[in-house]
Amino acid sequence: MHNKILLGAAISIAAMQAAAVPFAPTDARAMAMGGTGVASAKTVHAVQFNPALLSSASESDDFGLLFPQVGGYFSDENEFIDSADQFIEDDYASAFEAAVNAIEAGVNTSTDAFPAVDAAINAQDLTALATANANLATGVTSLKSGTVDLKAATLDLNGGLLTLSQKALRGGLGFGAGIAIPSKKFSVAISANNSTTFSGELVVAQSDLDTLLNYSSATNAYAGVLEDYSLASSDATDTLALLDAEQNKASPDPAVIVSLGNQLDADQTALSNANDALSGFDYGGSSTVAEDGDQIIFENGALAPGTDSITLASTAHIIAVAISEVALSISREFDFSGRAVAIGITPKLQRIDVYDYVVSVEDEVEGGDISDFGVNKNGFNLDIGASTRFGKIEQGTVGIVVKNLLSNSLDSVNGQTVEVKPQVRAGVAYQAFGWINLAADLDLIENEPVAFEEPSQFFAMGVEADVFGFLQLRGGFRTNIAASGQQVVSGGVGISPFSLFHMDLGLYTNTSDPKKEVGGVFEFGVDW
């Protein structure tokens, strides 16, 4: 049983795969700057944030190549891992098993005394009966003490399991590559990317908690029947002692002897009935009492085989959503009453893969099984964005983008509908002193969760210091205004010697505890 409970935790830690679809492109520069990019992304990165920015590139930008772009994040905002570590450290399962074993020892001591009690009464051997009763009393005392310990161990184990239940882990992986030819007159880019977001949770079944509690109820019920047998044995012992004393008198009273003999017969009948009740005592499984539960705990007056190996109904629920895209982005600037406004569109082929996997903690987890729980759908979608510059020397940019303009949905094998809905984000960027870049982005609508995580609506701010065009130092902040406790800080560095190529690293972590969320992206590219 210990292994099964830990297996449930292990599944939740190692195979958590479920997802929402937040607006979170894999871009090292953007991640380092808090996740901003709708008005501040450059060249080939514009495809991921706002295709209109392809026309906002510098006149000197002729070509951009990005390969590879690799990133990921992990989040444990509900502190499941800490709870699992504490659960393992407290070792509630072992304490429960030890309590069950102690109960078994008390039951065995008691049942071993039954034949000795019967034989001593039949032989009217007070000495043997005293020994048998002493052994029986030891078993009853052990059982009562064990019942108290078992109840405490059961409550601890139930409480420990509840600390693990329905605490979602989530994370994501992203891969990307692209080629862009920016221009104010007509820009074009080709890109391919995959974004997989995942999350999941251990769902502790109430039936498992009830089964554990039934162990205490079962031993209490058995102790009550055993106590009836002990009282019947005690009554028989008292009667036998009186009969022995009367028979050993110098002048025994025949009437008293007959009366005590009749009483001894009655006591033996009561003892036999108590023995039958014990030998036929059942609890759980085939029991007719619904509250006894399905787990067989006592069978024919003894602990049932496999009592220390509970059949668990708890499950780990796993959901993963992977979105793969191949996109062609085009953009150009238009003149609206003397203001240059760039408009870009990204038609794209989109594939959605959804895995919805519910596995019992009783089951062995095999990689081949997961594919049986996956469905996919191919389709077409569209991003559209706009941007314009402001300021005396056009040092500022504002932008807005609608991603996944066409809603799409897919039903998982377990009936959960996964929807890819439009996402709307606005941003502003400003370049100060020619080498300081400031940016801020805001999701204008809330993105609903697909699985167990919180909804997302991000507000982000970032700053970049470009040191002589060789080195870029970046920092940022992002908060989820649709949920609490999801503030992150970010930082990163870029290296672009002689503007021949660039390597970028972006990292972020939760402000209160890195265990709650941490992520990073690395990429390599060429900008000419």
Side-chain angles (χ1 to χ4, degrees):
M1 183 224 171
H2 180 266
N3 292 333
K4 291 176 182 176
I5 292 173
L6 295 187
L7 173 61
I11 290 172
S12 300
I13 294 171
M16 284 294 157
Q17 301 185 21
V21 188
F23 190 123
T26 304
D27 177 354
R29 179 175 182 265
M31 179 174 282
M33 296 174 66
T36 57
V38 173
S40 57
K42 296 183 178 180
T43 59
V44 70
H45 299 93
V47 175
Q48 300 181 40
F49 281 94
N50 184 354
L53 296 180
L54 287 168
S55 295
S56 298
S58 170
E59 294 287 356
S60 61
D61 291 334
D62 297 322
F63 175 80
L65 170 67
L66 175 64
F67 183 82
Q69 185 182 69
V70 181
Y73 72 93
F74 178 78
S75 175
D76 182 22
E77 61 259 45
N78 294 312
E79 299 183 349
F80 174 86
I81 292 177
D82 283 348
S83 297
D85 287 343
Q86 188 63 50
F87 179 83
I88 293 171
E89 181 179 340
D90 291 335
D91 205 7
Y92 295 130
S94 291
F96 176 80
E97 287 182 0
V100 171
N101 291 335
I103 291 293
E104 185 173 19
V107 170
N108 289 339
T109 300
S110 299
T111 54
D112 289 345
F114 299 161
V117 169
D118 290 337
I121 291 175
N122 290 331
Q124 297 189 3
D125 186 343
L126 282 174
T127 302
L129 185 57
T131 301
N133 276 337
N135 291 335
L136 179 60
T138 299
V140 171
T141 301
S142 175
L143 187 60
K144 287 183 176 180
S145 175
T147 300
V148 173
D149 293 341
L150 178 60
K151 184 175 182 179
T154 300
L155 293 175
D156 286 343
L157 181 55
N158 271 13
L161 288 172
L162 286 173
T163 66
L164 301 178
S165 186
Q166 295 182 303
K167 288 188 173 182
L169 292 175
R170 62 184 177 89
L173 295 172
F175 306 91
I179 299 174
I181 303 175
S183 168
K184 293 188 180 298
K185 294 183 178 180
F186 184 79
S187 303
V188 63
I190 299 173
S191 62
N193 64 79
N194 172 273
S195 175
T196 301
T197 49
F198 48 90
S199 131
E201 63 183 9
L202 175 68
V203 182
V204 176
Q206 184 62 45
S207 60
D208 290 347
L209 302 178
D210 292 341
T211 293
L212 292 172
L213 290 173
N214 276 340
Y215 272 71
S216 296
S217 300
T219 54
N220 274 329
Y222 182 85
V225 179
L226 181 60
E227 196 159 26
D228 290 341
Y229 181 90
S230 180
L231 289 173
S233 177
S234 179
D235 289 343
T237 300
D238 292 343
T239 301
L240 185 58
L242 291 174
L243 179 60
D244 182 71
E246 186 65 31
Q247 289 175 336
N248 289 325
K249 286 182 178 179
S251 299
D253 186 338
V256 172
I257 290 176
V258 170
S259 176
L260 290 174
N262 292 335
Q263 181 61 46
L264 182 60
D265 290 340
D267 289 343
Q268 285 183 292
T269 299
L271 187 62
S272 177
N273 292 336
N275 186 44
D276 290 344
L278 275 171
S279 61
F281 181 80
D282 294 330
Y283 196 102
S286 60
S287 173
T288 58
V289 182
E291 289 76 10
D292 290 354
D294 295 330
Q295 177 73 31
I296 300 176
I297 301 175
F298 279 91
E299 190 173 35
N300 297 325
L303 282 173
T307 304
D308 60 346
S309 181
I310 298 175
T311 301
L312 297 174
S314 296
T315 58
H317 192 181
I318 302 162
I319 304 176
V321 177
I323 298 179
S324 304
E325 298 175 341
V326 177
L328 172 67
S329 300
I330 55 177
S331 173
R332 67 159 295 172
E333 280 193 344
F334 297 89
D335 187 280
F336 292 93
S337 301
R339 173 171 291 279
V341 178
I343 297 177
I345 61 172
T346 301
K348 55 191 180 181
L349 297 177
Q350 191 174 69
R351 173 180 167 126
I352 306 170
D353 288 89
V354 177
Y355 292 88
D356 188 353
Y357 189 44
V358 178
V359 57
S360 169
V361 299
E362 290 286 328
D363 295 338
E364 295 293 333
V365 181
E366 298 179 4
D369 295 338
I370 297 178
S371 61
D372 297 334
F373 292 81
V375 294
N376 62 74
K377 183 177 184 179
N378 297 316
F380 172 83
N381 220 316
L382 184 69
D383 301 341
I384 184 169
S387 68
T388 187
R389 291 185 175 274
F390 65 90
K392 291 183 178 181
I393 56 174
E394 296 188 336
Q395 68 271 39
T397 303
V398 292
I400 188 169
V401 66
V402 181
K403 292 179 69 70
N404 299 316
L405 187 63
L406 307 177
S407 295
N408 209 343
S409 65
L410 181 62
D411 291 333
S412 73
V413 294
N414 288 314
Q416 182 157 331
T417 300
V418 175
E419 293 184 287
V420 176
K421 293 183 177 181
Q423 301 164 322
V424 185
R425 179 177 285 194
V428 59
Y430 189 86
Q431 187 178 70
F433 312 113
W435 61 283
I436 298 293
N437 298 303
L438 306 172
D441 280 12
L442 174 65
D443 287 332
L444 300 184
I445 60 176
E446 183 177 287
N447 301 307
E448 296 179 359
V450 173
F452 316 115
E453 56 286 327
E454 302 284 351
S456 65
Q457 186 174 8
F458 294 135
F459 170 69
M461 300 181 294
V463 60
E464 176 187 59
D466 191 347
V467 183
F468 302 116
F470 279 75
L471 178 68
Q472 294 80 42
L473 302 176
R474 300 162 182 141
F477 171 81
R478 189 194 74 193
T479 184
N480 184 0
I481 60 178
S484 60
Q486 294 188 17
Q487 293 77 34
V488 301
V489 291
S490 60
V493 62
I495 301 174
S496 53
F498 309 107
S499 297
L500 295 177
F501 64 88
H502 65 87
M503 290 189 297
D504 299 277
L505 177 67
L507 302 170
Y508 77 88
T509 185
N510 187 276
T511 56
S512 61
D513 185 355
K515 294 179 183 178
K516 290 186 176 181
E517 188 168 7
V518 63
V521 178
F522 171 80
E523 64 182 52
F524 177 85
V526 177
D527 292 317
W528 291 335

